[in-house]
Amino acid sequence: MRRHLSTLVLLTGAGCQAACHDSGMAHGFDGIEPSANLTWQPCFDDFTCSKLEVPLDYANRSLGTTSIAFIKLAGKNATSESPNIVLIPGGPGNSGVDLLITSKAFAGQAFGEQYNIVSFDPRGVNHSGLAVDCFSGNTKARSAFSRLHNTGVANISSPSFGEHYYSSSIYGEWCNDAVRNKSPYSYYVTTPAVAHDLLTFVEAEAELAGQSPSDAKFWGYGASYGTVIGATFASMFPERVERLVLDGTVNAEGYYTNDPSSNLDQSDKAIEMFATFCHSAGRQRCSFWGPTPADIMTRLDNILHQLQTHPVPISRVESRDLPTLVTYSDLKAVLVQALYNPVSSFPMMADALHQVEKGNVSAFAGMYQGLLIKSDAGHIIQCADSYRTNILSNFENYKETIEHTTSLSRYVGDTWPVFVDNILCRSIRPQLPDSLVVASPKVGLEKPTPFPILFGSNTIDPITPLKSARTMSSRFPGSVLLQQEAIGHTVINLGGSNCYFAHVQAYFQGIIPPSNITCPRQYTPFIDTSPL
C-alpha cells in the first residue's frame, strides 16, 4: 500500500517528483492530444508517450470519455513482435509515468531487455483525466482541516480520537462539493474501471500492430495496490491474462471493504527482526546495538514509553526556526516508514534511536506530519472502490477496528489506520453505477486463467503480509506462489534477488516455477546496502 521510501517505491509509493518533469527534458504530455487510437510520441528524452481516450463508463458510453496517460520504454533487444510488460503502479493514487521514469535502468535488468516496458497513470492520477482537488485550491481550508483531523496516533481513550473521527466528515463534504461543482465524473476512478482501461490499451496496441484486438493478451507486473488492479483485471477478463505477476499482494477483500487490519499480520515480527539484525551485525554496524535482541527491544520500548508520557519540546530559539514538539506519534511514524525497506531504513532508524539515548531527539521532529498522505487521488480511489462495502460506517465500527489493529500490532497498530486514513471515506458519496464497482469484494475465479498467475512475496512483508498472498493465490486456481527470504514491502521494492528475477524472467518466457519456492536472502539490513 501507500508510501515513499526507496527509488523503487516506484511500484508501491511515491513518484520521482520534480526531476521527472524538468523543463529540459524533451516533450512531456502537454502537447499530446487524447485519441481513441494509440499515437506514441517522444517524451521525457528516452520514452514515448500517448494519451488513450476511454469511456467514462463502459456500460454507458453516451456519458463521454476521459484520457489515460501511457508511457513506454522500448526494450534494447525488443522487436516488433515483443510484448509490452505493463508495470501497474501502487498506491492507490501513485503515478505509473513517474515510476517508469524513475526505474528505467532497473526495469530492463529485472524483466529482460527483450520486452517493452509500459506504465500509466490510472484515472484521477497525475497526467490522466478525472483528477480533482477536494479543496479546489483553497490551501487555507486544507491546512485548517489537517490541523483538526491529524491529531496523532489513534488512542480510543483520548478525546483526540473523537476529534479525528468526527472531523473526517469535513473532508467528504469538501470532496463531494468539488466533484459536484467542478468535475462531475471524478468519482469514476474505481479499480474495475482502471482494469477495463488496461484491456482497452491492450486492444489498441494490438490494432496498432495490425493484430486482432479481440485476441490481444495482457502482460503485467503489479506490486502493492497494483496487485488489486491486477487481480481485478484477471477476475473480469480471465481469458486475456497471458502473464501476470502480483508482488506484495493486497488482500482484495480487505481493500474493497476499507479494512486496514488486513495489512498488519507481520508488522511486529518485522520490528522484532530490527533487533535481531542489529544485534547480529555488531556494534560497528548498528549504532543501537545491544548484547541481546531482547535488550534492544527493551530499550526501544523504553523510548516509546518516555515519549508517550513526556514529549520533548525543541525551541530552536538560537536558530530562530519554528519551534516543534517531538512526540510518541513521531516515533511511531518512523517505525511505519522503516517497515517498507529495512535494508536502507533500519540503519537510519538505529542511528536516530541511538541519538535519543544520548538526549538528542531532533531526528524525529516532524516525522508524524511527514507520514501523512497529502494527495486526494488515493483517498478518492479508495473511497470510490469501497463506498458500497465500507465497514467503517460509524464511530463504533471505527473504534472496534482500531482496537483490532492495536491487538494485531503493538508497534504500528495505532498508527497504520491513521496513516492510510480510511475513515475519510465515511462521508464521501460517489453514487456510482453498478458497472464501475466490483460484484463482490472477494475477487477471484472458479477456474484457472489460460496461463497461471505468479504471486510473489517476501517471507516477512509488514505491509502486505505473506498470508495475503496465500489467500489471494487460493482464489485463483492454478496460480503459483514464489517467496523471497526478506523483510520489507514487496520483493521489487527491496531489489529482490538474482534467484527471484531469474524465476520472473523464466515465467515471462513460459516456464512456471514450482509452487512455494523460497529464494535465499541476498540483501541483509546493516550488512548490505540497498541495490536501488
Side-chain angles (χ1 to χ4, degrees):
M1 301 293 281
R2 304 167 185 147
R3 202 60 225 144
H4 324 223
L5 272 183
S6 72
T7 302
L8 238 261
V9 88
L10 64 80
L11 292 173
T12 60
C16 58
Q17 313 198 2
C20 291
H21 308 287
D22 190 313
S23 59
M25 288 187 172
H27 307 97
F29 277 93
D30 291 342
I32 299 178
E33 293 295 325
S35 171
N37 301 311
L38 281 171
T39 305
W40 295 103
Q41 299 181 33
C43 64
F44 304 110
D45 287 347
D46 299 320
F47 302 86
T48 54
C49 293
S50 182
K51 281 189 174 180
L52 183 63
E53 200 172 69
V54 299
L56 286 166
D57 179 2
Y58 284 90
N60 184 6
R61 294 174 182 254
S62 65
L63 290 181
T65 63
T66 188
S67 63
I68 308 299
F70 284 89
I71 184 170
K72 179 189 289 189
L73 178 66
K76 293 179 180 177
N77 301 322
T79 69
S80 59
E81 303 298 319
S82 296
N84 299 314
I85 296 176
V86 179
L87 298 186
I88 312 173
N94 296 320
S95 167
V97 171
D98 283 1
L99 84 81
L100 187 53
I101 294 172
T102 302
S103 61
K104 177 178 69 173
F106 180 79
Q109 298 170 15
F111 305 124
E113 297 289 357
Q114 68 271 41
Y115 304 106
N116 302 309
I117 310 298
V118 170
S119 197
F120 66 104
D121 289 344
R123 295 180 176 214
V125 177
N126 205 17
H127 299 287
S128 290
L130 302 180
V132 66
D133 174 0
C134 285
F135 289 90
S136 303
N138 190 332
T139 56
K140 290 183 179 179
R142 185 180 288 276
S143 295
F145 165 72
S146 182
R147 287 192 298 272
L148 294 169
H149 182 65
N150 297 318
T151 56
V153 299
N155 180 352
I156 61 173
S157 63
S158 169
S160 65
F161 181 71
E163 296 168 11
H164 174 71
Y165 172 82
Y166 287 106
S167 64
S168 64
S169 66
I170 297 171
Y171 185 81
E173 291 179 22
W174 277 82
C175 289
N176 293 335
D177 180 78
V179 171
R180 183 169 54 248
N181 294 312
K182 294 183 180 296
S183 183
Y185 295 109
S186 282
Y187 285 144
Y188 282 46
V189 293
T190 60
T191 300
V194 173
H196 211 146
D197 293 341
L198 287 176
L199 179 63
T200 301
F201 167 76
V202 169
E203 292 183 340
E205 274 283 76
E207 190 167 5
L208 186 65
Q211 300 166 358
S212 170
S214 61
D215 295 330
K217 306 293 185 182
F218 180 71
W219 295 53
Y221 191 108
S224 194
Y225 162 72
T227 66
V228 180
I229 299 177
T232 302
F233 180 95
S235 68
M236 292 172 63
F237 312 110
E239 72 286 353
R240 298 301 190 96
V241 175
E242 186 71 14
R243 301 287 189 277
L244 182 58
V245 183
L246 301 179
D247 167 15
T249 309
V250 176
N251 184 322
E253 183 177 4
Y255 171 79
Y256 280 118
T257 57
N258 204 26
D259 181 2
S261 67
S262 61
N263 300 90
L264 300 174
D265 186 61
Q266 294 184 298
S267 300
D268 280 6
K269 179 62 176 178
I271 296 294
E272 292 165 4
M273 290 303 295
F274 162 78
T276 299
F277 283 122
C278 176
H279 170 71
S280 298
R283 192 189 304 270
Q284 297 302 313
R285 286 194 167 105
C286 179
S287 56
F288 199 63
W289 183 86
T292 64
D295 171 80
I296 294 171
M297 291 303 297
T298 298
R299 286 157 49 218
L300 171 61
D301 289 342
N302 289 341
I303 293 172
L304 280 165
H305 179 71
Q306 179 183 351
L307 283 174
Q308 189 173 25
T309 55
H310 295 94
V312 181
I314 300 178
S315 70
R316 293 172 174 163
V317 64
E318 295 181 357
S319 64
R320 294 295 189 265
D321 288 337
L322 294 176
T324 190
L325 191 69
V326 174
T327 68
Y328 175 76
S329 296
D330 288 317
L331 179 49
K332 284 300 189 86
V334 170
L335 298 183
V336 170
Q337 291 187 61
L339 295 178
Y340 279 79
N341 189 342
V343 172
S344 61
S345 299
F346 275 3
M348 292 186 287
M349 187 172 92
D351 291 344
L353 292 170
H354 176 60
Q355 288 300 313
V356 171
E357 287 191 320
K358 295 170 63 176
N360 178 9
V361 299
S362 60
F364 292 155
M367 294 303 295
Y368 171 73
Q369 290 298 322
L371 184 74
L372 303 174
I373 300 166
K374 299 174 176 63
S375 166
D376 293 325
H379 294 311
I380 288 176
I381 295 167
Q382 170 81 62
C383 297
D385 272 332
S386 62
Y387 95 104
R388 294 186 183 180
T389 50
N390 183 10
I391 66 167
L392 304 179
S393 57
N394 57 54
F395 183 82
E396 287 304 316
N397 291 151
Y398 190 47
K399 182 179 177 181
E400 290 170 3
T401 298
I402 297 299
E403 290 173 335
H404 183 44
T405 59
T406 304
S407 71
L408 289 173
S409 171
R410 60 186 291 251
Y411 287 105
V412 300
D414 56 357
T415 313
W416 179 255
V418 175
F419 166 47
V420 293
D421 220 358
N422 304 64
I423 196 58
L424 293 179
C425 295
R426 77 182 184 93
S427 296
I428 285 179
R429 302 285 182 262
Q431 301 303 316
L432 298 169
D434 292 347
S435 55
L436 289 176
V437 297
V438 289
S440 167
K442 290 188 176 182
V443 171
L445 293 170
E446 295 183 355
K447 61 181 181 179
T449 50
F451 197 83
I453 296 172
L454 176 61
F455 287 85
S457 177
N458 292 320
T459 49
I460 299 177
D461 188 321
I463 306 300
T464 52
L466 176 61
K467 179 172 71 174
S468 294
R470 288 179 171 145
T471 297
M472 292 303 295
S473 179
S474 72
R475 293 179 182 165
F476 287 90
S479 64
V480 173
L481 175 61
L482 173 62
Q483 297 182 50
Q484 171 63 53
E485 186 181 1
I487 301 173
H489 181 40
T490 79
V491 181
I492 198 169
N493 193 41
L494 277 64
S497 67
N498 294 338
C499 166
Y500 177 82
F501 285 113
H503 281 298
V504 169
Q505 290 186 22
Y507 169 82
F508 282 127
Q509 294 168 18
I511 302 172
I512 304 166
S515 188
N516 288 314
I517 282 182
T518 300
C519 287
R521 186 187 311 279
Q522 189 162 323
Y523 304 105
T524 302
F526 299 105
I527 304 298
D528 301 304
T529 58
S530 174
L532 304 176

PDB file of all heavy atoms in Angstrom, residues 456-468:
ATOM      1  N   GLY A 456       4.112 -13.184  -5.894  1.00  0.00           N
ATOM      2  CA  GLY A 456       5.414 -13.047  -5.258  1.00  0.00           C
ATOM      3  C   GLY A 456       5.270 -12.395  -3.896  1.00  0.00           C
ATOM      4  O   GLY A 456       4.417 -11.520  -3.715  1.00  0.00           O
ATOM      5  N   SER A 457       6.085 -12.810  -2.932  1.00  0.00           N
ATOM      6  CA  SER A 457       6.010 -12.204  -1.603  1.00  0.00           C
ATOM      7  C   SER A 457       7.319 -12.392  -0.864  1.00  0.00           C
ATOM      8  O   SER A 457       7.976 -13.435  -0.984  1.00  0.00           O
ATOM      9  CB  SER A 457       4.885 -12.836  -0.781  1.00  0.00           C
ATOM     10  OG  SER A 457       4.846 -12.294   0.530  1.00  0.00           O
ATOM     11  N   ASN A 458       7.692 -11.374  -0.101  1.00  0.00           N
ATOM     12  CA  ASN A 458       8.747 -11.562   0.878  1.00  0.00           C
ATOM     13  C   ASN A 458       8.234 -12.480   1.983  1.00  0.00           C
ATOM     14  O   ASN A 458       7.023 -12.533   2.256  1.00  0.00           O
ATOM     15  CB  ASN A 458       9.173 -10.222   1.479  1.00  0.00           C
ATOM     16  CG  ASN A 458       9.878  -9.340   0.473  1.00  0.00           C
ATOM     17  OD1 ASN A 458      10.678  -9.814  -0.327  1.00  0.00           O
ATOM     18  ND2 ASN A 458       9.578  -8.054   0.496  1.00  0.00           N
ATOM     19  N   THR A 459       9.137 -13.183   2.637  1.00  0.00           N
ATOM     20  CA  THR A 459       8.725 -14.072   3.724  1.00  0.00           C
ATOM     21  C   THR A 459       8.130 -13.280   4.886  1.00  0.00           C
ATOM     22  O   THR A 459       7.261 -13.779   5.604  1.00  0.00           O
ATOM     23  CB  THR A 459       9.901 -14.927   4.210  1.00  0.00           C
ATOM     24  OG1 THR A 459      11.043 -14.077   4.442  1.00  0.00           O
ATOM     25  CG2 THR A 459      10.268 -15.986   3.184  1.00  0.00           C
ATOM     26  N   ILE A 460       8.619 -12.051   5.067  1.00  0.00           N
ATOM     27  CA  ILE A 460       8.012 -11.137   6.037  1.00  0.00           C
ATOM     28  C   ILE A 460       7.732  -9.824   5.309  1.00  0.00           C
ATOM     29  O   ILE A 460       8.643  -9.065   4.997  1.00  0.00           O
ATOM     30  CB  ILE A 460       8.915 -10.884   7.258  1.00  0.00           C
ATOM     31  CG1 ILE A 460       9.195 -12.190   7.999  1.00  0.00           C
ATOM     32  CG2 ILE A 460       8.269  -9.861   8.189  1.00  0.00           C
ATOM     33  CD1 ILE A 460      10.146 -12.036   9.182  1.00  0.00           C
ATOM     34  N   ASP A 461       6.463  -9.592   5.018  1.00  0.00           N
ATOM     35  CA  ASP A 461       6.063  -8.310   4.433  1.00  0.00           C
ATOM     36  C   ASP A 461       5.168  -7.620   5.456  1.00  0.00           C
ATOM     37  O   ASP A 461       4.029  -8.036   5.683  1.00  0.00           O
ATOM     38  CB  ASP A 461       5.302  -8.501   3.118  1.00  0.00           C
ATOM     39  CG  ASP A 461       5.052  -7.177   2.394  1.00  0.00           C
ATOM     40  OD1 ASP A 461       4.754  -6.174   3.081  1.00  0.00           O
ATOM     41  OD2 ASP A 461       5.125  -7.141   1.149  1.00  0.00           O
ATOM     42  N   PRO A 462       5.668  -6.566   6.110  1.00  0.00           N
ATOM     43  CA  PRO A 462       4.918  -5.943   7.200  1.00  0.00           C
ATOM     44  C   PRO A 462       3.761  -5.065   6.748  1.00  0.00           C
ATOM     45  O   PRO A 462       3.006  -4.562   7.581  1.00  0.00           O
ATOM     46  CB  PRO A 462       5.983  -5.098   7.912  1.00  0.00           C
ATOM     47  CG  PRO A 462       7.022  -4.835   6.876  1.00  0.00           C
ATOM     48  CD  PRO A 462       7.010  -5.996   5.937  1.00  0.00           C
ATOM     49  N   ILE A 463       3.601  -4.875   5.442  1.00  0.00           N
ATOM     50  CA  ILE A 463       2.524  -4.036   4.921  1.00  0.00           C
ATOM     51  C   ILE A 463       1.474  -4.877   4.198  1.00  0.00           C
ATOM     52  O   ILE A 463       0.274  -4.673   4.358  1.00  0.00           O
ATOM     53  CB  ILE A 463       3.083  -2.956   3.965  1.00  0.00           C
ATOM     54  CG1 ILE A 463       4.191  -2.162   4.655  1.00  0.00           C
ATOM     55  CG2 ILE A 463       1.975  -2.033   3.472  1.00  0.00           C
ATOM     56  CD1 ILE A 463       3.779  -1.439   5.916  1.00  0.00           C
ATOM     57  N   THR A 464       1.916  -5.807   3.385  1.00  0.00           N
ATOM     58  CA  THR A 464       1.012  -6.761   2.741  1.00  0.00           C
ATOM     59  C   THR A 464       1.535  -8.161   3.073  1.00  0.00           C
ATOM     60  O   THR A 464       2.349  -8.712   2.343  1.00  0.00           O
ATOM     61  CB  THR A 464       0.956  -6.548   1.210  1.00  0.00           C
ATOM     62  OG1 THR A 464       2.293  -6.527   0.686  1.00  0.00           O
ATOM     63  CG2 THR A 464       0.288  -5.223   0.882  1.00  0.00           C
ATOM     64  N   PRO A 465       1.089  -8.724   4.175  1.00  0.00           N
ATOM     65  CA  PRO A 465       1.718  -9.937   4.704  1.00  0.00           C
ATOM     66  C   PRO A 465       1.611 -11.137   3.776  1.00  0.00           C
ATOM     67  O   PRO A 465       0.742 -11.206   2.900  1.00  0.00           O
ATOM     68  CB  PRO A 465       0.960 -10.176   6.015  1.00  0.00           C
ATOM     69  CG  PRO A 465      -0.322  -9.442   5.866  1.00  0.00           C
ATOM     70  CD  PRO A 465      -0.026  -8.257   5.012  1.00  0.00           C
ATOM     71  N   LEU A 466       2.508 -12.066   4.005  1.00  0.00           N
ATOM     72  CA  LEU A 466       2.555 -13.307   3.227  1.00  0.00           C
ATOM     73  C   LEU A 466       1.202 -14.000   3.222  1.00  0.00           C
ATOM     74  O   LEU A 466       0.797 -14.599   2.224  1.00  0.00           O
ATOM     75  CB  LEU A 466       3.639 -14.225   3.804  1.00  0.00           C
ATOM     76  CG  LEU A 466       3.797 -15.615   3.193  1.00  0.00           C
ATOM     77  CD1 LEU A 466       4.154 -15.531   1.709  1.00  0.00           C
ATOM     78  CD2 LEU A 466       4.875 -16.400   3.957  1.00  0.00           C
ATOM     79  N   LYS A 467       0.479 -13.903   4.330  1.00  0.00           N
ATOM     80  CA  LYS A 467      -0.845 -14.520   4.416  1.00  0.00           C
ATOM     81  C   LYS A 467      -1.776 -14.000   3.318  1.00  0.00           C
ATOM     82  O   LYS A 467      -2.589 -14.750   2.776  1.00  0.00           O
ATOM     83  CB  LYS A 467      -1.448 -14.237   5.790  1.00  0.00           C
ATOM     84  CG  LYS A 467      -2.841 -14.809   5.995  1.00  0.00           C
ATOM     85  CD  LYS A 467      -3.303 -14.664   7.438  1.00  0.00           C
ATOM     86  CE  LYS A 467      -3.606 -13.221   7.769  1.00  0.00           C
ATOM     87  NZ  LYS A 467      -4.188 -13.083   9.143  1.00  0.00           N
ATOM     88  N   SER A 468      -1.644 -12.719   2.976  1.00  0.00           N
ATOM     89  CA  SER A 468      -2.492 -12.143   1.923  1.00  0.00           C
ATOM     90  C   SER A 468      -2.180 -12.760   0.567  1.00  0.00           C
ATOM     91  O   SER A 468      -3.089 -13.012  -0.233  1.00  0.00           O
ATOM     92  CB  SER A 468      -2.315 -10.626   1.868  1.00  0.00           C
ATOM     93  OG  SER A 468      -2.804 -10.014   3.036  1.00  0.00           O
TER      94      SER A 468
END
